[in-house]
Amino acid sequence: MDKKTGSANKIVHYISVFRPGHWFKNIFMLTGSFTAYIFFNASINSETALLTAVAFMCTCLAASANYGINEVIDSEFDRHHPVKKNRPVPSGKVSKKAVLIISVLLAAAAALIGFFFLPPGAFLAILSLMAMGFFYNVRPFRTKELPFLDVISESINNPIRFIIGWYAVQMIFFPPASFIISLWAFGAFLMACKRLAEYRFIGNDKRAAKYRKSFKYYNEERLIVSIIGYVSVVSFSLAIICIKYSVSVILAVPIFVISFIWYFKLTLKEDSPAKEPEKLLKHKEFYIFTILTIMVLVLAKVLNPYLEFLLKIWS
């Protein structure tokens, strides 16, 4: 391997540490903007579109900063994982010090851009996203090592992303709790499915515990029961949204139900892509459910007055 090729590979390794392939998770940020428009008549114009784009960029920078810190701190544990041991940091392909420096620079860029160009609510939410990454990864907190709290704390990132998108379209009040809780519970469902897929993939209790301390307590039964609990919270929150904000949301319920079933079935597969969410981009069902949900919610905004009228007649 010549020097030029070696340098190119090094750059690729550094880029992979910050996981640009995971940026699609920041779609939760766009759900905040979309919800503000659908349910609360937020203005969608060139200014809010630009703010949303800047907020998305800041969210991606903040997330990558968290990923870099996570890679360095987790490297000693990733060596016990059959696949993650080959990542650039645990395999020694990149410098830990350099990764930390780049992480700090990314965090600073996200904070500075957010401070100067975004509404205060969006800026504070971006800071919160980075703070949650700190508590999730760094000792003495390191919530990722605590059973169930690892899922609960990591899933808070979903409503935080939602709030960033919400304030990016210049909303002046905090989003209702039902939306926040539903996004959190949905994220918890995804995270618990990820833990279950990881546990099944490792296939060895002792090795799993060395990779992540929470696996000393986890087993398939406990993870599946928690998944049922999170789905129940999502359902309860959606019911509140239907009753209080828009009865037309009920039109999207069949899509939600089918998508939950599909994802859980995917989780139970051998070498499930649920343990690496970026692999979902290879599944056409992911795009179908996303597009259908958007289409149904837009239709619901139009049909909501008629559905409410029919509901009054039937009651």
Side-chain angles (χ1 to χ4, degrees), residues 79-292:
R79 295 190 182 99
H80 300 287
H81 191 280
V83 175
K84 292 183 179 181
K85 64 182 180 182
N86 299 316
R87 283 179 169 178
V89 177
S91 62
K93 294 173 184 174
V94 297
S95 162
K96 289 184 179 181
K97 183 178 179 181
V99 170
L100 285 175
I101 291 172
I102 295 171
S103 296
V104 171
L105 291 174
L106 290 172
L112 287 172
I113 295 172
F115 179 77
F116 286 107
F117 296 101
L118 293 177
F123 165 66
L124 291 174
I126 288 168
L127 293 185
S128 299
L129 186 66
M130 292 189 284
M132 287 307 303
F134 178 84
F135 288 116
Y136 185 69
N137 290 298
V138 180
R139 291 187 178 94
F141 310 101
R142 198 164 167 77
T143 58
K144 73 188 308 176
E145 293 183 346
L146 303 174
F148 300 115
L149 187 59
D150 61 339
V151 170
I152 291 170
S153 60
E154 172 68 3
S155 302
I156 292 174
N157 290 336
N158 286 336
I160 289 176
R161 290 184 175 98
F162 178 91
I163 291 167
I164 294 171
W166 172 272
Y167 282 118
V169 292
Q170 298 180 325
M171 296 300 287
I172 58 175
F173 58 92
F174 194 77
S178 52
F179 290 91
I180 297 296
I181 293 171
S182 65
L183 263 293
W184 166 79
F186 177 64
F189 163 77
L190 297 179
M191 280 298 300
C193 285
K194 179 180 179 179
R195 290 288 178 266
L196 179 59
E198 287 177 329
Y199 184 85
R200 290 166 57 86
F201 177 70
I202 295 172
N204 182 291
D205 291 347
K206 290 183 179 179
R207 187 187 301 170
K210 287 181 179 179
Y211 160 63
R212 180 160 284 142
K213 288 184 179 180
S214 59
F215 281 137
K216 289 181 180 179
Y217 180 82
Y218 283 148
N219 57 39
E220 287 195 30
E221 180 183 341
R222 287 171 177 168
L223 286 166
I224 289 173
V225 169
S226 72
I227 288 169
I228 294 171
Y230 298 133
V231 171
S232 300
V233 175
V234 173
S235 302
F236 180 72
S237 300
L238 286 175
I240 293 175
I241 292 171
C242 284
I243 294 168
K244 190 170 183 180
Y245 297 103
S246 177
V247 67
S248 58
V249 171
I250 199 169
L251 297 174
V253 168
I255 300 172
F256 294 149
V257 171
I258 294 170
S259 62
F260 277 120
I261 293 171
W262 167 76
Y263 194 79
F264 183 68
K265 185 178 179 181
L266 201 66
T267 300
L268 297 178
K269 286 188 174 182
E270 187 176 351
D271 193 17
S272 170
K275 69 183 188 302
E276 298 172 278
E278 66 275 11
K279 289 186 177 180
L280 288 176
L281 295 176
K282 298 179 181 179
H283 292 262
K284 65 180 183 297
E285 292 89 346
F286 172 78
Y287 299 99
I288 291 171
F289 289 134
T290 301
I291 293 170
L292 281 176

Side-chain angles (χ1 to χ4, degrees), residues 18-91:
F18 299 99
R19 307 183 199 177
H22 287 235
W23 285 355
F24 83 94
K25 294 178 184 178
N26 295 323
I27 193 172
F28 279 110
M29 191 217 88
L30 300 180
T31 63
S33 303
F34 188 66
T35 298
Y37 168 70
I38 291 292
F39 296 100
F40 300 96
N41 299 315
S43 298
I44 300 297
N45 50 46
S46 58
E47 182 181 0
T48 55
L50 179 60
L51 286 173
T52 301
V54 172
F56 185 82
M57 178 181 66
C58 288
T59 306
C60 291
L61 291 173
S64 286
N66 285 345
Y67 289 140
I69 294 170
N70 172 77
E71 289 278 324
V72 171
I73 296 175
D74 274 9
S75 59
E76 60 181 289
F77 303 101
D78 287 346
R79 295 190 182 99
H80 300 287
H81 191 280
V83 175
K84 292 183 179 181
K85 64 182 180 182
N86 299 316
R87 283 179 169 178
V89 177
S91 62

